[in-house]
Amino acid sequence: MKIITYLFFMLLFSSCLSGCKKGFLDEKPQKSLLVPATTADFRAMLDNTLIFNTTPGLPFTADGDFYTTDAGWNEYYLLQERTSYTWAADIFGSETSGEWNKPYRQIFYSNIVLEGAAKLPEDAEQKEVRGTALFYRAFAFYNLAQQFAPPYRAATAEVTPGIPLRTSADVTQKAGRGTLKQTYAQVLDDLRRSKGLLPAAGNYKTRPVIAAVYGLLARVCLSMEDYVLAGQYADSCLQLRPGLIDYNTLSTTAVRPFPRASPNGNNEVIFYALALDYTFGDSSSPTYVTPALYNSYAANDLRKAIFFRQITPGNYRFKGNYSGILSYFTGLATDEQYLIRAECRARAGNTAAALGDLNALLVKRWKAGTFMPFTAATAEEALALILTERRKELTWRGTRWTDLRRLNGDPRFAVTLSRQLKGQAYQLEPQSKRYTYPIPPDELQLNPMPQNER
């Protein structure tokens, strides 16, 4: 155990050198005193945004919302960027995967905090620290499941492999892969427990509050196709955070049209997180929005100018980050909750309420005085409208990959992705096994799994 503690804090110390807020590491340089002992110590660990507040980013290359040129593809620094773009069977080769390692590091830190904080007297701060750790662990497990486990289908979840569920800080613990049902049960349990521990409001959007828990629960349940619960959680989130930005107040010509979301800039942001950075996201990279998506925005839809800017004739690059910086925002925001509640209401046959949510969002997105509320004769028509607007509103948020996995099980909304590269055609068929990323080979080498669990 002494070896585990020493290794952990050496890792923590190296991670915090360039980004930790001032905490116990600054005050206790002696190696023998590097064990956290107070609530403030554990809070300092959770405030390390180099570890937390980040999500996987590789699915951006695969979700069909952007394309690159032959030369641009060659410039991608990592093999995994190029192989993910072509939906290859072997994504990682011999490369280490931040997509796998970063979430599991978040889980490891969360487990350290949960075990340590549980030994301290319970007060408001101690409860908030525990609630934060539970939220972070749930977010990490969920993000891993969107890449490294198959899409959730209730009928087969008990026999479908999930992801390894590490719920102990003991690194010698062997965590089998388990089932998809167990994976999502763990996510839901962590979030529901965190709801009773977190505050209703906070000073930093990098820290979760109750609205963030409801928002993430809505996202998780939507991916599980539990539309009753997803709608209820989205509604609970919106009861706390209903505000929307009027895009008429933003500059359509600004390179960064949205203010920094953290701590208090972007009013729609509920919880702040960014995707891992890759070279496809560099400002100089020839990475462009697909023409079909760009052309789907109406002339009076402000998102067309606020989300995208022309780089060369006919080529447009995404600029509408809710982060207010170059890195892609993948956290939780109010607009997503309106779309979740609208979709769930449409699926329940409540056409008027579904369109009410959709129009409440879109009136804030169109040029003032030009928006004509959407109408639909049936709930199915309303659902199709909502899903179309969901893609347009949440583009480059990190939700599209999960939406494809979820919706490809429904023939009405299934799509085949295709692209051309160096004279060769690539396709990703609905429900293809390529919608599940392979576990990185270096992980399998360190922690061998039976063939049927890979």
Side-chain angles (χ1 to χ4, degrees):
M1 195 63 214
K2 287 181 180 178
I3 294 173
I4 294 168
T5 302
Y6 174 79
L7 289 174
F8 164 67
F9 282 107
M10 289 303 98
L11 175 63
L12 178 60
F13 182 76
S14 64
S15 299
C16 284
L17 280 176
S18 59
C20 264
K21 293 184 179 180
K22 196 167 181 69
F24 69 91
L25 289 175
D26 303 291
E27 299 170 1
K28 301 176 182 178
Q30 297 95 336
K31 204 176 298 182
S32 61
L33 299 177
L34 283 179
V35 178
T38 68
T39 305
D41 294 345
F42 293 116
R43 166 56 70 193
M45 291 173 62
L46 296 174
D47 280 344
N48 182 357
T49 54
L50 291 180
I51 299 298
F52 297 104
N53 304 100
T54 59
T55 70
L58 213 50
F60 280 96
T61 64
D63 68 14
D65 276 1
F66 86 69
Y67 73 96
T68 190
T69 62
D70 291 355
W73 185 83
N74 282 334
E75 290 173 7
Y76 290 165
Y77 180 72
L78 294 174
L79 168 70
Q80 57 200 268
E81 296 179 76
R82 300 190 295 275
T83 52
S84 180
Y85 184 82
T86 58
W87 309 301
D90 179 10
I91 298 291
F92 301 105
S94 60
E95 292 179 348
T96 297
S97 169
E99 306 286 298
W100 179 273
N101 293 341
K102 177 71 79 165
Y104 273 112
R105 186 176 294 182
Q106 294 166 354
I107 291 162
F108 179 49
Y109 280 37
S110 296
N111 288 335
I112 288 284
V113 171
L114 287 168
E115 292 178 10
K119 301 172 184 177
L120 300 175
E122 186 174 285
D123 56 22
E125 182 65 17
Q126 186 258 16
K127 289 171 65 176
E128 183 177 347
V129 162
R130 287 164 48 219
T132 299
L134 285 166
F135 179 92
Y136 284 156
R137 187 170 73 178
F139 200 26
F141 279 141
Y142 172 74
N143 288 327
L144 284 161
Q146 303 322 295
Q147 268 185 281
F148 297 103
Y152 189 91
R153 302 285 185 262
T156 57
E158 268 192 286
V159 294
T160 302
I163 57 170
L165 295 172
R166 293 195 171 278
T167 56
S168 168
D170 183 357
V171 295
T172 64
Q173 180 196 57
K174 293 293 182 183
R177 190 162 185 181
T179 67
L180 203 57
K181 185 174 183 178
Q182 290 170 330
T183 296
Y184 279 83
Q186 183 67 55
V187 171
L188 294 174
D189 182 63
D190 280 353
L191 288 174
R192 288 164 179 159
R193 288 169 60 197
S194 74
K195 182 169 66 70
L197 299 169
L198 290 171
N203 295 325
Y204 303 96
K205 291 183 178 180
T206 50
R207 295 179 181 178
V209 292
I210 291 176
V213 176
Y214 282 131
L216 185 51
L217 280 166
R219 183 184 285 186
V220 172
C221 289
L222 191 76
S223 72
M224 298 173 70
E225 300 182 83
D226 188 337
Y227 298 114
V228 173
L229 275 181
Q232 291 174 357
Y233 285 130
D235 182 70
S236 294
C237 180
L238 290 170
Q239 297 303 316
L240 297 171
R241 292 290 302 275
L244 289 167
I245 298 171
D246 185 346
Y247 279 18
N248 287 280
T249 65
L250 302 175
S251 169
T252 57
T253 59
V255 176
R256 299 282 175 263
F258 295 98
R260 285 292 298 264
S262 180
N264 297 309
N266 186 325
N267 186 49
E268 284 188 22
V269 171
I270 300 169
F271 176 73
Y272 184 82
L274 300 175
L276 289 170
D277 287 326
Y278 288 94
T279 50
F280 67 78
D282 291 348
S283 58
S284 60
S285 172
T287 297
Y288 309 115
V289 60
T290 53
L293 176 58
Y294 178 78
N295 293 326
S296 69
Y297 296 86
N300 287 322
D301 189 336
L302 291 168
R303 293 174 298 185
K304 193 168 191 174
I306 288 174
F307 284 1
F308 309 105
R309 64 187 177 100
Q310 183 171 273
I311 304 301
T312 57
N315 290 319
Y316 296 85
R317 186 174 176 83
F318 180 73
K319 65 169 183 171
N321 271 314
Y322 264 29
S323 62
I325 57 176
L326 184 62
S327 297
Y328 300 131
F329 173 80
T330 53
L332 300 163
T334 308
D335 57 347
E336 180 186 358
Q337 302 305 311
Y338 275 95
L339 289 162
I340 292 175
R341 190 171 69 178
E343 179 180 340
C344 294
R345 285 174 167 175
R347 290 183 181 278
N350 193 343
T351 305
L355 290 174
D357 277 337
L358 182 63
N359 289 326
L361 172 67
L362 293 182
V363 73
K364 302 287 189 180
R365 302 317 193 223
W366 284 53
K367 290 181 182 178
T370 68
F371 179 67
M372 297 293 292
F374 283 20
T375 60
T378 65
E380 186 162 332
E381 284 184 17
L383 177 60
L385 286 171
I386 290 161
L387 292 176
T388 296
E389 292 302 320
R390 178 178 171 85
R391 183 186 182 190
K392 291 158 67 176
E393 176 71 17
L394 302 181
T395 185
W396 301 72
R397 295 275 196 93
T399 58
R400 179 62 180 166
W401 184 249
T402 295
D403 282 347
L404 288 168
R405 286 159 46 99
R406 169 173 67 99
L407 296 171
N408 276 340
D410 185 336
R412 296 174 298 170
F413 306 116
V415 298
T416 297
L417 298 180
S418 59
R419 53 184 33 143
Q420 293 280 335
L421 183 71
K422 297 186 174 183
Q424 184 173 344
Y426 296 89
Q427 280 195 339
L428 184 64
E429 302 286 346
Q431 303 194 69
S432 167
K433 291 183 178 180
R434 303 290 171 83
Y435 272 104
T436 303
Y437 279 58
I439 294 176
D442 62 340
E443 174 65 23
L444 292 174
Q445 187 174 7
L446 291 169
N447 297 288
M449 295 183 185
Q451 191 66 35
N452 64 333
E453 288 190 10
R454 297 187 180 188

